[in-house]
Amino acid sequence: MLGNIDSYSAAFGDLDGDCDLDLFVTNYDPSVANQVWLNDGTGQFSDTGQRLGTMPSYTPLLGDFDRDGDLDAYVANGTTDELWLNNGDATFAPSSQSLDTDSGFGAGTGDFDGDGDLDIFLPIYSGENGVHILLNDGTGQFAERQTILETDAANYFVALGDLNGNGLPDAFVNSIYHTDGNGIWLNQLSRAGTLSATHGSPTYLGVPIVFTATGSSAPNPTYLWDFGDGSSGAGSVVQHVYERCGEFTAVLTTTQNEQVETAVTTVSISKPESLFLPLTIK
């Protein structure tokens, strides 16, 4: 049994980079605070002893919000949310940013503005009706908040997915007291340019992966890559080796004079599969 306290929700993710799924648990009881449990690779979990936060917590979101190659934790608390930054070994430190969202119980994360980092989607339960969208500046600082208002709604939870096939996350928002019921929010961002970023396979831990840039509208641009783990590269065709398991978003930027284009590609890194079966000699 993992604890005996009043927990609200949880999220799985590889918090310590050892290629198995660990657990971040949000607790409603602020006297206990949120917890981190590490998997030993066999499904057995141990409490790290960390107690994160001082208020009732609801939804945890795991993602590499500061793009340094490990999973951080955004926690929706209903009033003042918290961002906990991973030191790389599943120990967490609070972000310096105050996130007074006055939102609700749910939250979702995705790249809403197409710049390669994770933003936050927050349904609003009380006060203003509608949703908040927090835009990440790429370092884990949410420098801009967009508020979309609606009437007669108390929004609880959100589910994200590409509902209209344009490659961008849309949202289904669960609401009460709404004359029109639950809502679908479609991302209206228009992707400009023809630049494309792709990567080869397989995408294994410790194995070089080839990244390729094509389709730039500039005749002779400079190609710069941010691989999403704190590393960078340059060139239209480059190789990179990931040293941690997980999902990484590589951002390609091309420049020529004042013309700038960007493209992204997402890489899922896992342990190499064995190519050999054990041989038994009788």
Side-chain angles (χ1 to χ4, degrees):
M1 183 173 67
L2 303 183
N4 57 355
I5 52 181
D6 188 8
S7 298
Y8 191 90
S9 189
F12 282 112
D14 183 7
L15 302 177
D16 55 0
D18 62 353
C19 300
D20 56 38
L21 292 178
D22 308 303
L23 191 61
F24 190 103
V25 180
T26 51
N27 295 317
Y28 186 75
D29 183 352
S31 66
V32 179
N34 305 316
Q35 297 172 293
V36 177
W37 296 77
L38 295 184
N39 189 347
D40 68 359
T42 69
Q44 296 294 310
F45 289 82
S46 59
D47 185 359
T48 64
Q50 297 176 81
R51 299 295 181 262
L52 307 176
T54 59
M55 62 188 73
S57 296
Y58 300 105
T59 300
L61 301 174
L62 298 181
D64 186 9
F65 295 104
D66 57 0
R67 290 184 56 80
D68 64 349
D70 51 42
L71 291 180
D72 310 303
Y74 183 98
V75 179
N77 294 321
T79 52
T80 302
D81 292 353
E82 296 169 305
L83 176 63
W84 296 90
L85 298 178
N86 192 339
N87 294 315
D89 57 358
T91 61
F92 289 82
S95 165
S96 60
Q97 186 174 16
S98 177
L99 297 164
D100 296 321
T101 60
D102 189 28
S103 55
F105 307 107
T109 185
D111 183 10
F112 299 110
D113 53 1
D115 62 354
D117 55 43
L118 292 174
D119 309 305
I120 303 292
F121 189 104
L122 298 170
I124 306 173
Y125 174 70
S126 61
E128 298 174 311
N129 294 318
V131 300
H132 291 315
I133 300 175
L134 307 184
L135 297 180
N136 192 344
D137 68 0
T139 69
Q141 293 290 309
F142 296 95
E144 181 180 351
R145 182 174 77 176
Q146 296 181 359
T147 301
I148 304 174
L149 300 179
E150 56 181 345
T151 58
D152 303 323
N155 294 327
Y156 269 84
F157 298 103
V158 58
L160 299 177
D162 182 8
L163 304 181
N164 54 3
N166 67 348
L168 297 166
D170 307 301
F172 170 85
V173 178
N174 170 247
S175 305
I176 62 174
Y177 312 131
H178 197 305
T179 55
D180 296 326
N182 301 322
I184 296 289
W185 299 72
L186 295 179
N187 193 331
Q188 300 298 309
L189 179 69
S190 177
R191 291 185 180 273
T194 58
L195 183 66
S196 174
T198 58
H199 63 81
S201 60
T203 54
Y204 290 145
L205 183 72
V207 176
I209 300 170
V210 176
F211 290 82
T212 304
T214 56
S216 175
S217 59
N220 189 28
T222 299
Y223 296 91
L224 299 176
W225 296 85
D226 176 350
F227 296 112
D229 61 350
S231 301
S232 59
S236 59
V237 179
V238 296
Q239 286 190 348
H240 182 63
V241 176
Y242 288 95
E243 302 297 342
R244 291 176 67 103
C245 290
E247 187 172 274
F248 301 88
T249 299
V251 179
L252 167 66
T253 303
T254 65
T255 58
Q256 184 172 23
N257 298 326
E258 296 182 357
Q259 182 176 345
V260 179
E261 295 177 288
T262 61
V264 300
T265 183
T266 301
V267 189
S268 296
I269 303 298
S270 60
K271 284 184 177 179
E273 299 174 357
S274 175
L275 300 178
F276 301 95
L277 296 176
L279 177 63
T280 301
I281 301 177
K282 297 183 177 179

